Amino acid sequence: MSVRAFCIPLKEAAKRIGVSRITMRKYCRDGSIDARKTPGGHWRVSSLSLELFQPGKKFAGCLSMSLRKPFKRGPVWYCEVDRRRVSLKTKDKAEALSRFAEIRRRYLQQLAGTPIRSECLMTIGDFADEYMEWAPKAIKSPNTVNNAFIALKKLLAITKRSLPLSDVHPKHIDLLIAANRDRKSSSINCYIRFSRIVMNKAVSWGYIKENPFRSVKYLREDIEPPRFIPPDEVMRFLNGIRNIDNRRLTTAFIFSGRRRSELLALRWENIRMEKEEYFIESTISKSNVSRWYPMHPMFKAVLLAIGEKESGPVFEKWKRVTSITAVIKKELKAGGYPDLSLHKLRHTFATLLKEHGVDLDTIGDLLGHSNRSATEIYAHITPTRQRTALSAIPCEDIALDS
């Protein structure tokens, strides 16, 4: 709110501090009180400056000297705070005046002579624009950039663009959580994590002194057992897919265990057919690790059916991740698994391995997990193995009839 809203007539101001109107007029002229003249020649006094008034001491070191009104240097607007030039970070005059009013309000709220912090000038909207311009050029992983942008947009929906960056508070994360209660805890935790990462950059760039989200806690996530296509139903499901391109794509997902971004970005240059292995680059891998993976015979059969090439994307028919998601979801629904999603094909791959006795460390390596905890969800015993385990208990004849 502008300081102008707190101005009162000179007569009322004089009465408040118990001086004559002549003395009050003198205070207005020498800067002891923050005041301004109206076009009609009457003094209007800032009521806030009256609360900070100290007889014999000029208010804020005389505001007319401490704060210089906005001026232009090239296309950008500036002001001066305690004789130090400060950029208002805008080319628009109306926006410059608005930001200067905020600086003046903050200056008045502080004790006389206390310099204003330059970080007060940066709004979260300006910082978001700067971050979004910088991130795609500096961060290799497109997924990281995308998640950071989503978190910023969620945060801006709560704070609004005009909020000074220094006023961002942990409460804004609480409001973000409340506004997204319909989402999974894991999704909300992703917003929190990337909001914290983004604000760390604001600290390193010198816009704020510390991260306001550093002590924010994540929501508790309920760990659900992975859902998958039962191993004995996989072949029936695949053979039931009529479209040959969709069948090849689905087979590739089930027998490679790759994430959708990894399979979509797979190129013929990164495939060694004779050695039966393929390469996943760190820029498209969630684990940020580049490595070669062994090729399952069914996955190799898919590649051979497509037709080996010297270069280019393997699954060139699909250009976007969302289009692949829609295709797989459609086939799952038609196959009798409407509650499963594309990612559940990755669970199916892990379950097939577990069903045939592969240890968790090897499963984690084949999935590209960077730590063991991510693989722990596959520590469950599949239904087939449960029945086999039960049959291992010897049975004896017991008289149970009455």
Side-chain angles (χ1 to χ4, degrees), residues 208-271:
I208 50 177
K209 291 183 178 180
E210 57 184 22
N211 192 330
F213 304 146
R214 67 190 184 283
S215 59
V216 173
K217 295 182 179 180
Y218 294 114
L219 300 183
R220 179 178 178 180
E221 296 183 27
D222 296 327
I223 301 177
E224 300 178 356
R227 292 181 292 162
F228 51 87
I229 300 173
D232 56 350
E233 298 177 15
V234 170
M235 300 312 296
R236 177 197 62 79
F237 166 66
L238 290 174
N239 285 320
I241 300 175
R242 296 182 179 181
N243 184 291
I244 190 63
D245 291 325
N246 293 355
R247 186 189 303 169
R248 290 170 180 170
L249 179 66
T250 309
T251 303
F253 272 114
I254 291 179
F255 289 97
S256 69
R258 301 271 58 87
R259 301 177 180 91
R260 60 180 184 177
S261 59
E262 295 171 347
L263 206 59
L264 182 62
L266 185 64
R267 300 181 65 82
W268 289 109
E269 303 96 295
N270 295 334
I271 294 176

Side-chain angles (χ1 to χ4, degrees), residues 34-326:
D34 181 38
R36 63 179 58 83
K37 268 190 176 182
T38 66
H42 302 290
W43 285 100
R44 301 284 294 179
V45 181
S46 166
S47 60
L48 187 56
S49 68
L50 291 176
E51 297 176 13
L52 300 176
F53 172 68
Q54 298 179 39
K57 184 175 181 180
K58 292 187 178 182
F59 178 72
C62 184
L63 280 177
S64 61
M65 293 178 61
S66 301
L67 291 179
R68 181 182 170 188
K69 292 182 179 180
F71 56 92
K72 213 172 184 182
R73 289 291 181 270
V76 181
W77 285 87
Y78 293 82
C79 69
E80 281 189 6
V81 180
D82 291 333
R83 297 187 177 183
R84 178 170 56 89
R85 183 184 297 183
V86 177
S87 172
L88 293 171
K89 302 182 185 296
T90 182
K91 299 178 182 179
D92 182 70
K93 182 178 180 179
E95 181 66 20
L97 292 174
S98 174
R99 294 184 183 187
F100 180 73
E102 174 67 16
I103 293 173
R104 184 180 176 85
R105 183 184 70 83
R106 286 171 177 270
Y107 202 101
L108 288 170
Q109 286 178 336
Q110 298 174 13
L111 294 176
T114 303
I116 193 166
R117 303 192 314 276
S118 61
E119 60 260 31
C120 295
L121 305 179
M122 174 64 76
T123 67
I124 189 170
D126 291 336
F127 169 70
D129 293 341
E130 191 172 339
Y131 184 90
M132 288 180 175
E133 182 180 353
W134 165 84
K137 303 173 185 176
I139 301 175
K140 288 184 178 180
S141 172
N143 286 337
T144 300
V145 174
N146 185 53
N147 286 328
F149 284 3
I150 292 173
L152 260 177
K153 289 175 182 177
K154 293 285 184 181
L155 192 59
L156 286 172
I158 301 299
T159 63
K160 306 307 178 188
R161 292 181 57 86
S162 59
L163 182 75
L165 195 58
S166 56
D167 285 352
V168 177
H169 191 270
K171 179 183 177 182
H172 292 120
I173 289 292
D174 294 332
L175 294 174
L176 185 150
I177 293 171
N180 293 276
R181 268 300 179 189
D182 58 328
R183 307 301 299 270
K184 292 181 180 179
S185 296
S186 57
S187 298
I188 296 176
N189 284 341
C190 186
Y191 302 153
I192 296 173
R193 179 166 61 255
F194 280 93
S195 294
R196 185 181 292 172
I197 290 171
V198 168
M199 295 306 288
N200 276 337
K201 187 55 64 177
V203 174
S204 66
W205 286 350
Y207 293 145
I208 50 177
K209 291 183 178 180
E210 57 184 22
N211 192 330
F213 304 146
R214 67 190 184 283
S215 59
V216 173
K217 295 182 179 180
Y218 294 114
L219 300 183
R220 179 178 178 180
E221 296 183 27
D222 296 327
I223 301 177
E224 300 178 356
R227 292 181 292 162
F228 51 87
I229 300 173
D232 56 350
E233 298 177 15
V234 170
M235 300 312 296
R236 177 197 62 79
F237 166 66
L238 290 174
N239 285 320
I241 300 175
R242 296 182 179 181
N243 184 291
I244 190 63
D245 291 325
N246 293 355
R247 186 189 303 169
R248 290 170 180 170
L249 179 66
T250 309
T251 303
F253 272 114
I254 291 179
F255 289 97
S256 69
R258 301 271 58 87
R259 301 177 180 91
R260 60 180 184 177
S261 59
E262 295 171 347
L263 206 59
L264 182 62
L266 185 64
R267 300 181 65 82
W268 289 109
E269 303 96 295
N270 295 334
I271 294 176
R272 294 174 181 171
M273 201 69 75
E274 68 284 355
K275 293 186 177 182
E276 297 186 344
E277 61 183 10
Y278 58 96
F279 186 73
I280 298 296
E281 298 179 0
S282 61
T283 54
I284 60 173
S285 174
K286 187 177 178 181
S287 58
N288 293 321
V289 175
S290 298
R291 58 167 295 185
W292 289 92
Y293 291 92
M295 193 182 298
H296 188 277
M298 291 295 290
F299 184 44
K300 182 178 180 180
V302 170
L303 299 179
L304 291 174
I306 293 174
E308 189 176 358
K309 299 178 182 178
E310 292 185 1
S311 62
V314 175
F315 299 95
E316 59 185 354
K317 180 178 178 179
W318 295 278
K319 307 298 183 184
R320 300 173 59 188
V321 170
T322 52
S323 61
I324 285 183
T325 304

Side-chain angles (χ1 to χ4, degrees), residues 343-387:
H343 193 72
K344 301 306 181 286
L345 300 186
R346 184 170 161 86
H347 293 332
T348 301
F349 172 74
T351 304
L352 286 169
L353 294 172
K354 189 72 169 62
E355 183 77 13
H356 290 84
V358 180
D359 62 274
L360 288 179
D361 287 334
T362 303
I363 293 175
D365 289 340
L366 291 172
L367 290 172
H369 286 164
S370 56
N371 58 73
R372 172 64 183 264
S373 61
T375 318
E376 290 293 339
I377 62 170
Y378 302 110
H380 66 289
I381 302 176
T382 57
T384 303
R385 300 186 72 186
Q386 288 179 352
R387 287 190 290 270

Side-chain angles (χ1 to χ4, degrees), residues 319-338:
K319 307 298 183 184
R320 300 173 59 188
V321 170
T322 52
S323 61
I324 285 183
T325 304
V327 166
I328 299 298
K329 184 65 179 177
K330 175 185 175 182
E331 297 299 347
L332 284 168
K333 187 175 180 180
Y337 307 103

